[in-house]
Amino acid sequence: MITEAVLSLGSNIGDRMSFLIKATESIKCQIGIISNVSSVYETEPWGVNNQNFYLNQLLTVKTELSPFKLLSVIQSIEINLGRERRYKYAPRTIDIDILYYGLLVINSEILKIPHPCLEKRRFILVPLTEILPQMIHPLLKKSNLCLLEELVDDTKIKKVETININL
């Protein structure tokens, strides 16, 4: 069965734009058909100080992979692009998170969908409302747009550009 997953990409080390592009290409090759892509945003680090700003982007991908297989492939892509998991919120070449997997809810030790705290993060909700404003969060029962309107996070975010990729 094909399911549409929403993925978040972020990079704050090295050539950040290049890492977003390489991750997107890997997702196209290994996960499925990309159906929508947000603009790229430069964002203040969330949860930490004294780090480089991130480039963040969201995309939707139609995949036949199960949520746990999707997580495994994503982690492999991250490793191939130089991701090191040294500590929580460590700087990274690439970070790929599963925000939504259709309307599925998973709460296991290794995977939580919808992604926990997405409703508290401006760097997630701004691009999410760009591409899926009316999508309803399956646990909170509110649209992404509503979540953004209720957001108290005031971290800095600015649109950098829209990347045209072959969907």
Side-chain angles (χ1 to χ4, degrees):
M1 175 174 13
I2 296 176
T3 302
E4 188 164 73
V6 181
L7 305 180
S8 170
L9 286 64
S11 174
N12 77 333
I13 296 177
D15 186 345
R16 301 170 300 163
M17 189 66 75
S18 176
F19 283 118
L20 292 182
I21 292 167
K22 289 175 183 174
T24 300
E25 289 301 320
S26 294
I27 289 165
K28 282 172 57 176
C29 292
Q30 299 177 46
I31 294 175
I33 297 168
I34 295 174
S35 51
N36 208 343
V37 180
S38 77
S39 300
V40 175
Y41 293 86
E42 186 169 49
T43 65
E44 183 177 3
W46 190 90
V48 294
N49 295 319
N50 303 320
Q51 282 191 16
N52 297 332
F53 275 43
Y54 278 80
L55 287 186
N56 289 102
Q57 183 175 39
L58 270 58
L59 55 84
T60 59
V61 60
K62 295 180 186 212
T63 186
E64 294 183 1
L65 300 179
S66 72
F68 290 94
K69 180 63 178 172
L70 176 59
L71 177 63
S72 175
V73 172
I74 283 170
Q75 289 173 339
S76 174
I77 291 169
E78 290 176 333
I79 290 167
N80 288 337
L81 292 176
R83 169 83 188 261
E84 295 178 6
R85 294 180 186 275
R86 294 176 292 178
Y87 55 90
K88 188 174 183 173
Y89 302 130
R92 62 225 35 197
T93 55
I94 194 70
D95 180 39
I96 306 170
D97 290 324
I98 304 168
L99 301 180
Y100 293 118
Y101 184 92
L103 296 176
L104 191 64
V105 174
I106 296 176
N107 189 11
S108 77
E109 277 190 38
I110 63 168
L111 181 61
K112 295 186 184 337
I113 299 175
H115 192 280
C117 297
L118 76 81
E119 73 278 4
K120 298 176 183 177
R121 298 175 176 179
R122 183 170 302 282
F123 73 92
I124 294 293
L125 288 174
V126 169
L128 194 52
T129 58
E130 178 186 335
I131 62 173
L132 295 168
Q134 299 308 319
M135 182 177 182
I136 302 296
H137 188 294
L139 292 173
L140 301 176
K141 307 299 184 203
K142 295 179 180 180
S143 72
N144 292 321
L145 182 59
C146 181
L147 294 174
L148 179 61
E149 289 170 349
E150 295 175 353
L151 185 66
V152 295
D153 175 21
D154 64 354
T155 54
K156 296 178 181 84
I157 182 169
K158 72 174 183 177
K159 188 183 290 191
V160 175
E161 66 180 271
T162 302
I163 293 181
N164 292 322
I165 63 167
N166 297 326
L167 298 180

